[in-house]
């Protein structure tokens, strides 16, 4: 498929040009990380350079399986140029072609990610902070001017009581006696300059502050739509057209006008709305048919960014900023899977009967809860009709549990974290079978498990290979560890290998005492990223003056991590919760999903239940919740104030065919759930289909809140698994202790790989603990110790005093009789235990 010129272009990627330090391939692979105007220009130049090769126009997926293209691209994105040169020409060129096509998509993703970061943090965020500061500075002037105007108006109001033949000059004499006319004119000018007109939107002044940053964006706004191809739906079409017209408008020059203005004929006045009108057209409106250039550029750019985030404007060549609607199953593709999807999810093609059942179920739930209120001592209703539910009190620990916990913890063998990981890999041979090289081949190194264990441990501990590497031990030589890290450690391998750990743990008696594995919880850990990164965002509460990321992860009720996702900054969890649930095949094993309040929204309620997941968020603001009813005239007694919303199930019925297709697309992984959630909302307001799914979700939200009111067992179960996840996060904090527990990866893939390694090591520790806790319980029972089932279910699989995470680390395979370490004597001296 390659022409001779294209072959030459690809081979030249591996060469270091004269005067340069790295090859073009390496330069292409190293994306920008700092949000600034010049960096976006540099990134756009790279997009243009890669696109200029026209390699992306070759349609490879018709001739090569997508899986193979992914393997080739993954190898090309990480392999050294020297490695690639050693391959035969056909393999080398195929790898470079797949890599170039992937890089074309990746550079567009990175550029738009930088644009988003620049707009949110460097422009919008800073403009809002500066505007707040200016309010403080301007307030004394505004207050003084307002006081003068108030005195003058007070005289006018008093003049109403004067005689009918009062003259204008007499009124002015009275006003001048209170406020001199020059002072009054100054006050009018001050107020007019600082306060928007009564009919204008008050934006707090941030737009004016942002318009002063024209130099930051002047370079890339001229290039953005010329280098990257964008498309738009009806909502974003006008703004996209205005954005595409900016380069010609900014090229305008006139001897008669300063460069900071543009002729009215060169702009689209219809895209200027709200508070932007005052800045673009002037106040009062200019009469010379000129507009403020800087304000107009930012008016268009701010709206372009907003439509881009909502995917009303999208980049088809991008993987993260493309049109979700285009990814939905359509026509024959949807018809081919429709029946099986609807059968799996239990959804009918005609929703009438289903919606009637939901309406009856909701009505019945209201009546059951109302009937039980008198006997429900944990619930109170205030004078405003708000429901207050007492917090779940911890069940007092019986002496039997306290002693069992002490016995079990004292019996746990002491172990270095490295030894525990090696031991677990020895228990699960299939785990290592899932680790393929970046070239797509299976393992071919001796003692690869030792090297993988060492690399995983170093990544999880957030340390270098210095304390891990051992000279003279082939599997632990520094160059070997670097090669294994580069070749085998990646998120895809973790996702393929983790199910074998899950299956191993699920069959152990202690794990079964914890739960059945069908309930899962989602929560996030925050990590500071001290290096420049397009994927780290600011949040003073969590990151102080630095920026950071959220590791959103899901565990099941057997304490095992089953899926995770890296989230830039502290974006609302509800936007990403469905990605975590459906981002991993193992995530589908859980039928009940528990989250915190940050992951809650009516939309997520609707989508989760349509996808056959029972969604149970912990609602922190229960008294302020609004519940919904179908029957407007139904009397639910004390619950009437709570059930103040009215459900229009007709909305759901009207959109049902489209809802089924959307849900089927998520279920079959044709579309990313995060993109769907974005597509269904516009600045926090749902689209028509989004409102229909919200309506469906409100049925289940109301049922969920009613269950929380009526069922202490549910409240306790939610709190229990959330506490379980907090225990995992505590263990993660102990393990991930190196370099002040900060993530030094600049790029998303690196963050994903490192925190994926942390997740795997945490699962290894949980499995190791599960095995030895189960052995300890078995030994205690054999010895006649009274082990109660209720006490066993309250033991923690995250105990860690016996696990050493500091110092140098041994990766020798343990020589164990019977395959297990000997349990310790619980009555032995333990003064040297780690705190």
């Amino acid at each position: 498929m390659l022409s001779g010129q294209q072959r030459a272009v690809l081979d030249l990627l591996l060469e270091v040009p004269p005067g340069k330090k790295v090859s073009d391939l390496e330069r292409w692979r190293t994306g920008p990380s700092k949000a600034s105007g010049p960096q976006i220009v540099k990134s756009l130049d790279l997009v243009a350079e890669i696109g200029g090769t026209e390699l992306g126009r070759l349609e490879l997926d018709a001739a090569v399986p997508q899986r193979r293209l992914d393997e080739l691209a993954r190898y090309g994105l990480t392999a050294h140029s020297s490695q690639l040169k050693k391959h035969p020409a056909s393999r080398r060129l195929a790898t470079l072609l797949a890599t170039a096509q992937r890089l074309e998509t990746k550079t567009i993703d990175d550029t738009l990610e930088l644009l988003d970061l620049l707009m949110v943090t460097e422009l919008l965020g800073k403009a809002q902070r500066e505007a707040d500061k200016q309010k403080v500075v301007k307030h004394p002037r505004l207050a003084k001017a307002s006081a003068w105007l108030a005195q003058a108006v007070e005289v006018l109001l008093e003049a109403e009581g004067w005689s009918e033949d009062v003259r204008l000059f007499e009124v002015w004499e009275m006003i001048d006696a209170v406020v001199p006319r020059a002072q009054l004119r100054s006050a009018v000018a001050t107020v007019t300059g600082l306060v928007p007109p009564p009919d204008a939107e008050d934006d707090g002044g941030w737009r004016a502050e942002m318009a002063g940053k024209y130099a930051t964006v002047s370079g890339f706004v001229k290039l953005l739509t010329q280098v990257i191809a964008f498309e738009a739906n009806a909502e974003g079409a006008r703004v996209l057209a205005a954005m595409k017209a900016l380069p010609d408008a900014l090229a305008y020059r006139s001897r008669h006008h300063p460069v900071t203005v543009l002729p009215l004929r060169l702009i689209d006045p219809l895209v200027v709305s709200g508070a932007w009108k005052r800045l673009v057209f002037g106040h009062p409106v200019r009469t010379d048919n000129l507009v403020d250039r800087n304000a107009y550029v930012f008016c268009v750019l701010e709206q372009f960014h907003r439509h881009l985030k909502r995917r009303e404007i999208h980049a088809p060549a991008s993987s993260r900023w493309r049109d979700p609607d285009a990814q939905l199953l359509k026509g024959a593709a949807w018809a081919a899977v429709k029946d099986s999807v609807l059968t799996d999810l239990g959804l009918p093609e005609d929703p009438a009967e289903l919606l009637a059942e939901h309406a009856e179920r909701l009505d019945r739930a209201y009546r059951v809860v109302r009937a039980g209120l008198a006997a429900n001592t944990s619930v109170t209703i205030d004078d405003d009709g708000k429901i207050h539910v007492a917090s779940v009190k911890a069940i007092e620990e019986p002496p039997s549990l306290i002693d069992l916990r002490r016995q079990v913890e004292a019996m746990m063998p002491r172990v270095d974290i490295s030894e525990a990981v090696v031991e677990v890999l020895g228990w699960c041979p299939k785990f290592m079978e899932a680790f393929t090289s970046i070239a797509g081949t299976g393992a071919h190194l001796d003692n690869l498990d030792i090297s993988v264990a060492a690399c995983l441990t170093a990544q999880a501990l957030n340390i270098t290979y210095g304390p891990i590497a051992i000279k003279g031990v082939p599997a632990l030589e520094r160059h070997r560890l670097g090669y294994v890290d580069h070749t085998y450690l990646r998120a895809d391998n973790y996702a393929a290998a983790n199910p074998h750990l899950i299956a191993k743990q699920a069959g152990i008696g202690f794990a079964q005492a914890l739960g059945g594995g069908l309930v899962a919880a989602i929560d996030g850990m925050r990590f500071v990223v001290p290096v420049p990164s397009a994927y780290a965002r600011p949040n003073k509460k969590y990151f102080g003056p630095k920026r950071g990321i959220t590791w959103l992860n899901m565990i099941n009720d057997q304490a095992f991590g089953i899926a995770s996702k890296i989230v830039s900054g502290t974006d609302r969890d509800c936007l990403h919760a469905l990605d975590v649930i459906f981002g991993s095949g193992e995530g589908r094993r859980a039928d009940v999903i528990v989250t915190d309040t940050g992951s809650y929204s009516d939309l997520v309620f609707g989508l989760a239940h349509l996808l056959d997941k029972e969604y149970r968020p912990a609602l922190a603001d229960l008294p302020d919740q609004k519940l919904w009813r179908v029957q407007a005239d139904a009397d639910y007694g004390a619950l009437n104030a709570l059930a103040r919303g009215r459900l229009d199930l007709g909305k759901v019925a009207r959109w049902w065919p489209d809802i089924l297709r959307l849900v089927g697309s998520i279920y079959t992984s044709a579309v990313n759930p995060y993109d769907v959630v974005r597509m269904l909302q516009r600045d926090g307001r749902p689209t028509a289909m989004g409102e229909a799914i919200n309506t469906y979700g409100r049925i289940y939200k109301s049922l969920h809140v009613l269950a929380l009111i009526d069922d202490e067992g549910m409240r306790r179960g939610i709190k229990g698994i959330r506490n379980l996840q907090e225990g995992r996060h505590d263990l993660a904090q102990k393990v991930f202790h190196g370099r002040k527990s900060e993530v030094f990866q600049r790029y998303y893939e690196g963050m994903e790989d490192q925190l994926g390694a942390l997740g795997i090591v945490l699962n290894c520790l949980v499995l190791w603990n599960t095995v030895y806790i189960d052995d300890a319980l078995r030994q205690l029972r054999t010895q006649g110790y009274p082990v109660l089932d209720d006490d066993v279910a309250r033991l923690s699989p995250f105990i860690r005093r016996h696990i050493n995470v500091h110092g140098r680390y041994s990766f020798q395979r343990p020589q164990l009789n019977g395959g297990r370490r000997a349990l310790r004597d619980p009555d032995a001296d333990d003064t040297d235990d780690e705190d």
Side-chain angles (χ1 to χ4, degrees):
M1 301 177 73
L2 292 169
S3 67
Q5 182 180 358
Q6 289 171 329
R7 290 169 178 263
V9 167
L10 289 174
D11 275 332
L12 283 175
L13 289 178
L14 302 179
E15 304 299 329
V16 178
K20 303 294 184 180
K21 296 182 179 180
V22 296
S23 67
D24 284 343
L25 177 62
E26 187 61 33
R27 181 170 56 83
W28 285 11
R29 294 189 302 198
T30 306
S33 56
K34 187 176 181 181
S36 68
Q39 281 291 317
I40 294 181
V41 171
K42 182 180 177 181
S43 187
L44 286 168
D45 289 342
L46 186 58
V47 173
E49 181 183 349
I50 298 175
T53 64
E54 298 188 349
L55 294 169
R57 297 186 181 183
L58 296 175
E59 297 182 2
L60 301 182
D61 53 356
V64 185
Q66 186 60 47
R67 178 189 61 79
R68 187 59 181 148
L69 287 175
D70 292 340
E71 290 174 350
L72 290 169
R74 185 169 58 236
Y75 180 57
L77 286 169
T78 55
H80 295 296
S81 296
S82 58
Q83 287 179 278
L84 292 169
K85 287 181 179 180
K86 296 177 182 178
H87 291 298
S90 58
R91 169 66 183 271
R92 181 178 68 252
L93 292 171
T95 301
L96 290 172
L97 176 56
T99 303
Q101 289 199 342
R102 181 64 58 84
L103 281 170
E104 185 169 0
T105 299
K106 181 179 181 296
T107 51
I108 293 174
D109 288 343
D110 290 343
T111 302
L112 297 180
E113 201 72 38
L114 277 182
L115 173 65
D116 181 47
L117 181 61
L118 180 73
M119 291 295 296
V120 172
T121 63
E122 301 300 323
L123 294 176
L124 289 170
K126 287 186 176 180
Q128 288 169 345
R129 290 193 294 273
E130 287 299 321
D132 291 340
K133 291 179 182 178
Q134 288 300 317
K135 283 182 183 178
V136 177
V137 173
K138 295 174 181 177
H139 183 269
R141 292 169 53 207
L142 184 60
K144 193 171 184 179
S146 300
W148 291 338
L149 292 174
Q151 291 178 26
V153 172
E154 189 175 355
V155 172
L156 284 175
L157 293 175
E158 290 176 355
E160 289 181 343
W162 299 353
S163 62
E164 294 183 359
D165 58 350
V166 65
R167 304 291 181 87
L168 178 62
F169 77 88
E170 293 176 324
V171 176
W172 270 117
E173 284 179 355
M174 293 295 295
I175 293 175
D176 284 338
V178 177
V179 183
R181 198 169 305 188
Q183 206 168 1
L184 193 59
R185 288 194 180 97
S186 175
V188 170
T190 298
V191 172
T192 303
L194 298 179
V195 179
D199 59 344
E201 176 188 346
D202 183 7
D203 68 345
W206 63 264
R207 286 180 172 86
E209 290 293 332
M210 192 164 71
K213 307 292 185 183
Y214 176 76
T216 301
V217 305
S218 60
F220 72 78
V221 293
K222 302 171 187 176
L223 296 173
L224 188 61
T225 55
Q226 294 178 341
V227 173
I228 300 176
F230 291 98
E231 295 178 357
N233 59 19
E235 288 80 5
R238 190 169 208 107
V239 173
L240 178 58
M243 189 72 182
K244 289 181 176 179
L246 276 183
D248 291 337
L250 295 179
Y252 171 79
R253 294 291 183 271
S254 171
R255 293 179 299 171
H256 308 292
H257 306 134
V259 294
T260 57
V261 296
L262 292 173
L264 184 61
R265 60 183 170 80
L266 293 181
I267 75 163
D268 182 356
L270 295 180
V271 303
V272 184
S273 59
W276 282 114
K277 289 183 178 180
R278 183 167 177 258
L279 298 173
V280 174
F281 301 123
H283 178 65
V285 176
R286 300 177 65 131
T287 59
D288 54 3
N289 287 327
L290 297 175
V291 299
D292 186 282
R293 178 199 63 182
N294 298 4
Y296 179 70
V297 167
F298 274 99
C299 169
V300 174
L301 181 60
E302 186 257 336
Q303 292 185 75
F304 175 85
H305 174 248
R306 181 153 40 89
H307 285 291
L308 185 65
K309 288 181 74 72
R310 298 194 311 223
R311 305 303 189 265
E312 292 165 351
I313 294 175
H314 46 269
S318 169
S319 65
R320 292 181 182 155
W321 301 86
R322 59 188 175 185
D323 180 15
D325 187 60
Q327 310 303 313
L328 298 180
L329 296 172
K330 297 180 178 69
W334 170 230
V337 300
K338 181 178 178 180
D339 290 343
S340 61
V341 167
L342 297 188
T343 300
D344 288 349
L345 298 178
L347 296 174
E349 286 197 61
D350 183 350
E353 185 177 346
L354 177 67
L355 294 177
E357 290 175 359
H358 287 338
E360 181 183 353
R361 179 185 172 192
L362 183 58
D363 178 69
R364 186 168 59 250
Y366 274 118
R367 298 184 187 281
V368 169
V369 173
R370 181 191 65 179
L373 282 177
N376 193 340
T377 57
S378 62
V379 175
T380 57
I381 302 177
D382 62 21
D383 295 339
D384 297 325
K386 293 183 177 181
I387 296 286
H388 299 267
V389 180
S391 58
V392 176
K393 295 182 179 179
I395 300 175
E396 186 176 350
E397 294 185 346
S400 59
L401 171 59
I402 295 172
D403 190 64
L404 178 63
R405 183 183 295 127
R406 183 192 65 81
Q407 292 278 345
V408 169
E409 291 186 9
M411 295 172 71
M412 296 296 284
R414 293 177 185 164
V415 65
D416 287 343
I417 185 173
S418 51
E419 296 172 333
V421 173
V422 171
E423 192 170 351
V424 167
L425 297 193
W427 296 340
C428 302
K430 290 185 178 180
F431 179 92
M432 284 306 307
E433 292 175 9
F435 271 66
T436 58
S437 73
I438 54 175
T441 59
H444 60 274
L445 296 175
D446 292 335
N447 297 319
L448 180 61
D449 59 328
I450 299 297
S451 302
V452 167
C455 292
L456 286 172
T457 301
Q459 294 272 29
L461 293 172
N462 201 24
I463 61 176
T464 66
Y465 288 133
I468 301 291
I470 301 177
K471 193 172 183 178
V473 179
L476 298 173
E477 289 275 8
R478 186 181 291 270
H479 68 86
R480 164 75 172 256
L481 295 179
Y483 172 77
V484 169
D485 184 351
H486 175 76
T487 308
Y488 292 95
L489 262 62
R490 61 182 185 277
D492 289 346
N493 280 352
Y494 304 152
N498 196 47
H500 300 298
L501 297 180
I502 295 173
K504 177 71 175 179
Q505 194 233 15
I508 299 171
F510 173 59
Q512 294 167 355
L514 294 174
L518 298 179
V519 179
I522 299 174
D523 199 9
M525 284 188 73
R526 320 292 184 184
F527 292 95
V528 170
V529 180
V531 296
S533 171
Y535 298 94
R537 304 294 171 101
N539 187 313
K540 287 187 176 180
K541 177 180 177 181
Y542 296 107
F543 311 130
K546 299 179 182 178
R547 298 180 180 184
I549 57 172
T550 298
W551 184 42
L552 198 62
N553 56 95
M554 178 166 67
I555 69 167
N556 63 20
D557 54 1
Q558 294 179 333
F560 234 69
I562 53 179
S564 65
K565 181 183 179 181
I566 305 298
V567 176
S568 298
T570 55
D571 204 8
R572 278 202 69 195
D573 292 354
C574 67
L575 297 173
H576 306 274
L578 291 173
D579 266 8
V580 178
I581 297 170
F582 291 95
S584 166
E586 287 306 312
R588 299 177 189 270
R589 294 182 57 194
D591 295 328
V592 178
I593 308 297
V594 175
T595 69
D596 62 7
T597 302
S599 293
Y600 154 74
S601 76
D602 292 344
L603 186 65
V604 175
F605 251 117
L607 288 173
H609 282 274
L610 285 164
L611 289 159
D612 200 27
K613 300 296 178 187
E614 187 171 342
Y615 181 51
R616 296 181 183 175
L619 300 175
D621 52 351
L622 192 57
D624 297 323
Q625 290 296 326
K626 176 183 179 181
L627 298 197
W628 303 77
R629 62 168 75 199
V630 177
Q631 301 174 19
D633 58 348
D635 181 14
Y636 299 130
L639 298 176
N640 280 332
L642 185 65
R644 57 188 182 275
R646 174 77 164 84
L647 289 171
D648 179 7
L649 297 184
K651 291 181 182 178
V652 182
R654 287 191 293 273
W655 282 95
W656 190 251
D658 295 286
I659 290 173
L660 292 181
R661 187 166 61 88
L662 181 143
V663 169
S665 299
I666 295 176
Y667 185 73
T668 57
S669 301
V671 67
N672 189 316
Y674 171 80
D675 290 336
V676 169
V677 174
R678 281 287 191 192
M679 179 181 70
L680 294 173
Q681 298 183 95
R682 295 172 184 162
D683 296 333
R685 296 185 298 273
T687 62
M689 182 161 65
E691 180 58 28
I693 297 174
N694 279 349
T695 300
Y696 192 83
R698 286 164 185 156
I699 299 171
Y700 285 97
K701 174 205 172 173
S702 301
L703 290 170
H704 174 64
V705 173
L706 291 171
L708 289 176
I709 293 171
D710 195 53
D711 189 350
E712 181 180 345
M714 175 183 283
R715 300 197 301 272
R716 192 171 296 282
I718 291 174
K719 184 176 179 61
I721 193 166
R722 294 194 65 220
N723 287 343
L724 192 70
Q725 190 158 48
E726 288 299 324
R728 186 173 191 257
H729 288 175
D730 288 343
L731 177 59
Q733 289 174 348
K734 173 175 178 172
V735 172
F736 198 77
H737 68 274
R739 291 187 284 186
K740 298 189 291 186
S741 300
E742 296 177 343
V743 174
F744 282 77
Q745 302 287 343
R746 295 177 184 271
Y747 304 110
Y748 186 88
E749 292 77 9
M751 297 172 182
E752 192 176 42
D753 290 347
Q754 180 170 16
L755 294 180
L758 173 62
I760 286 291
V761 169
L762 291 176
N763 280 355
C764 286
L765 295 180
V766 169
L767 176 53
W768 195 94
N769 278 343
T770 301
V771 166
Y772 282 100
I773 289 173
D774 196 64
D775 286 352
L777 293 172
R778 188 181 302 108
Q779 181 171 310
L780 288 172
R781 290 188 179 102
T782 301
Q783 295 171 350
Y785 184 92
V787 177
L788 303 180
D789 291 344
D790 289 345
D791 292 341
V792 171
R794 298 180 67 182
L795 294 177
S796 172
F798 302 119
I799 54 176
R800 51 192 177 273
R801 289 184 62 192
H802 57 288
I803 301 174
N804 173 47
V805 299
H806 299 285
R808 297 192 67 87
Y809 307 93
S810 168
F811 291 93
Q812 299 297 319
R813 291 190 186 88
Q815 302 298 320
L816 305 174
N817 294 325
R820 293 283 192 275
R821 298 174 186 270
L823 298 173
R824 296 170 59 212
D825 181 352
D827 299 319
D829 182 18
D830 63 352
T831 55
D832 57 343
D833 271 356
E834 180 186 359
D835 293 330

